Amino acid sequence: MRISMLKSGLSAALAGLVTAGTAMAQETPALEIKGAPEPGGTGFQIAATELARDLQWLDGLLNYIIFAIVIFVMALMGWVIVRHNRKANPEPARFTHNSPLEVAWTIVPIVILVFIGAFSLPVLFKQQIIPEADVTIKATGYQWYWGYEYTDHDFAFDSYMIGADAENKLTPEVEAQLVEAGYEKEHFLLATDTAVVVPVNKTIVMQVTGADVIHAWTIPAFGVKQDAVPGRLAELWFKAEEEGVYFGQCSELCGIAHAYMPITVKVVSEEAYEAWLDEAIEEYAGTPRAINVAAAE
Ligand SMILES: [Cu+2]
């Protein structure tokens, strides 16, 4: 009885969502906020892609190597301080060369670097070799917002920080706008009015460029960061494995409002993406999919 009531309530709510969705192209089902910075946080955000997992694993590996080197150097210094101070060792040795030692301190760092390279280069290549895209999006950095172009369907929209029209200040109206858009007060400086919407578990290729100065597009939880350089078209790729909302911020100092051009990516189910795409094509006057399919055949 209860369950059926719950069910009917849910379906009514869903129906409400669907009708609301047709009114505005940027409406997507409520999503959990997965990739966001935390106050006082020092670690990484969650890893929502294979690239991010690789990066975080590599960071862990490097940490062990760093700890080992630091402990070794501290121990050497301790030994020098205790055993070779003026009191303990009044008459210092006067030799200037020790060939085996010199060979060792040349070879050992090389071995360490080659060892690191053996793990870091594959991670780097995986980021830089761009796979075949399921969805291609062009991101253009402007002073101070991002523009997105869904090149497969010839539509584009701009993405401003919520609060950009209130001089980048958190006013009560801006707080209300945040809540209305499904965010909270703490997401001020991260949430944007429109979001990049992508399907889960699909390969997304972002083409990144700048229109005026150098910006940088990043989503920390995806392990991607790419400078947006005017006159150049760079590429990055990711395959997000979990539905949710992910935030990033322009990561190249680009002017006075650099802090106010965040990035919001919504990873949604395949069906939700298809529905969003249809609405977005309509709202932003893109090329309908039927024509695209015909052209591809
Ligand atoms: Cu910027």
Side-chain angles (χ1 to χ4, degrees), residues 142 144 146 214-216 250 252 254 258 261:
Y142 298 91
W144 287 274
W146 290 94
I214 303 177
H215 303 268
C250 179
E252 184 67 66
C254 59
H258 165 62
M261 50 179 297

Side-chain angles (χ1 to χ4, degrees), residues 24-252:
M24 205 179 143
Q26 281 287 344
E27 206 89 15
T28 44
L31 287 166
E32 203 184 321
I33 293 180
K34 293 264 174 72
E38 283 171 30
T42 52
F44 288 109
Q45 292 183 20
I46 64 153
T49 64
E50 189 188 344
L51 295 183
R53 262 201 311 280
D54 286 359
L55 276 184
Q56 295 184 13
W57 175 85
L58 184 67
D59 180 82
L61 174 78
L62 291 181
N63 255 332
Y64 283 114
I65 296 172
I66 291 168
F67 280 136
I69 292 173
V70 167
I71 287 167
F72 175 68
V73 171
M74 298 288 275
L76 267 185
M77 283 174 63
W79 181 63
V80 168
I81 290 166
V82 173
R83 291 287 304 274
H84 293 273
N85 61 45
R86 195 192 282 179
K87 223 185 256 170
N89 190 27
E91 208 43 56
R94 302 222 173 259
F95 67 87
T96 56
H97 286 81
N98 184 327
S99 298
L101 195 58
E102 283 166 33
V103 169
W105 74 44
T106 306
I107 300 288
V108 171
I110 291 174
V111 170
I112 294 172
L113 288 179
V114 169
F115 177 80
I116 292 173
F119 291 99
S120 68
L121 289 177
V123 173
L124 187 66
F125 287 144
K126 201 189 274 178
Q127 296 169 11
Q128 294 297 317
I129 297 171
I130 309 291
E132 178 109 29
D134 293 318
V135 178
T136 306
I137 305 168
K138 182 181 172 192
T140 307
Y142 298 91
Q143 283 174 317
W144 287 274
Y145 60 96
W146 290 94
Y148 298 103
E149 207 177 304
Y150 281 64
T151 54
D152 304 332
H153 304 287
D154 300 315
F155 69 84
F157 56 87
D158 292 333
S159 195
Y160 284 87
M161 187 184 83
I162 295 178
D165 47 12
E167 293 182 343
N168 302 325
K169 294 200 175 72
L170 182 57
T171 60
E173 295 79 61
V174 169
E175 201 179 323
Q177 285 170 21
L178 281 166
V179 171
E180 199 189 332
Y183 304 107
E184 281 164 46
K185 188 180 168 187
E186 71 203 53
H187 302 121
F188 177 62
L189 300 178
L190 293 170
T192 53
D193 55 356
T194 58
V196 181
V197 179
V198 296
V200 70
N201 285 321
K202 293 279 178 187
T203 303
I204 316 298
V205 172
M206 296 289 294
Q207 301 175 324
V208 183
T209 189
D212 33 44
V213 299
I214 303 177
H215 303 268
W217 198 91
T218 184
I219 293 292
F222 296 171
V224 295
K225 176 169 284 179
Q226 175 60 55
D227 267 9
V229 182
R232 289 194 197 178
L233 197 64
E235 283 187 318
L236 63 84
W237 75 278
F238 60 85
K239 191 191 250 183
E241 293 161 354
E242 275 180 61
E243 290 179 34
V245 179
Y246 299 86
F247 294 121
Q249 292 162 297
C250 179
S251 298
E252 184 67 66

Side-chain angles (χ1 to χ4, degrees), residues 273-296:
Y273 175 72
E274 298 289 328
W276 175 84
L277 199 56
D278 284 336
E279 289 160 17
I281 287 169
E282 190 148 322
E283 166 140 352
Y284 303 122
T287 307
R289 271 184 290 180
I291 292 174
N292 239 32
V293 170

